Amino acid sequence: MIDRDGRIVFGSLLALVLVLTVSIVVEEQFGVGLREYPVPSFLVFAGLALAAPQLYLAATDDETADDDPTRSRVQFAAVATAVFALAFADDASGVSYLVIAGIGSSAVIALVCYEALRWHHGSSEGSLLQVR
């Protein structure tokens, strides 16, 4: 039996395959393919396949004293989004380039803010424990 994490990641990959299959059918029927549009392609690959399941699992994980799985999921989602943004922005131009680069940059900035917030909460909880 596949555990919950595996089912969610497998489901996102299944959704990716479904979207790509529909994209191929639409391209054959109407001549409009997903490859021609870099922003939706980036959102499908980086968002649907990588970031969405990891962020969902991070948000729905049980609260425990050891928060490293949640932290590593957020880190993976942000870094993977930034890496895919670099790859997809290389083929894009104009506004598409700016949108993809902006999403990748925002992912890195969000990760830095997340880590700073965790550090702040950790240091403030530590000082409260020392006062008591």
Side-chain angles (χ1 to χ4, degrees):
M1 185 84 188
I2 301 175
D3 64 337
R4 178 179 173 266
D5 295 355
R7 285 192 311 259
I8 291 171
V9 171
F10 181 72
S12 71
L13 293 176
L14 186 62
L16 174 68
V17 169
L18 181 65
V19 167
L20 292 177
T21 304
V22 169
S23 170
I24 291 170
V25 170
V26 167
E27 185 176 4
E28 291 295 321
Q29 293 295 320
F30 303 107
V32 178
L34 188 60
R35 292 177 295 212
E36 298 170 10
Y37 301 100
V39 174
S41 296
F42 168 71
L43 293 175
V44 165
F45 281 100
L48 180 66
L50 291 174
Q54 295 302 320
L55 293 177
Y56 174 76
L57 288 170
T60 59
D61 276 348
D62 293 334
E63 293 294 324
T64 60
D66 183 21
D67 205 30
D68 284 335
T70 299
R71 184 177 183 190
S72 64
R73 289 185 191 285
V74 171
Q75 290 171 345
F76 175 78
V79 170
T81 300
V83 168
F84 269 82
L86 285 173
F88 277 83
D90 186 38
D91 293 335
S93 62
V95 175
S96 297
Y97 173 82
L98 292 175
V99 169
I100 294 171
I103 292 171
S105 301
S106 298
V108 172
I109 291 169
L111 178 60
V112 169
C113 292
Y114 173 77
E115 291 295 330
L117 188 64
R118 283 184 46 83
W119 174 79
H120 176 69
H121 283 299
S123 64
S124 65
E125 287 176 5
S127 63
L128 289 176
L129 291 175
Q130 291 173 357
V131 171
R132 292 183 184 177

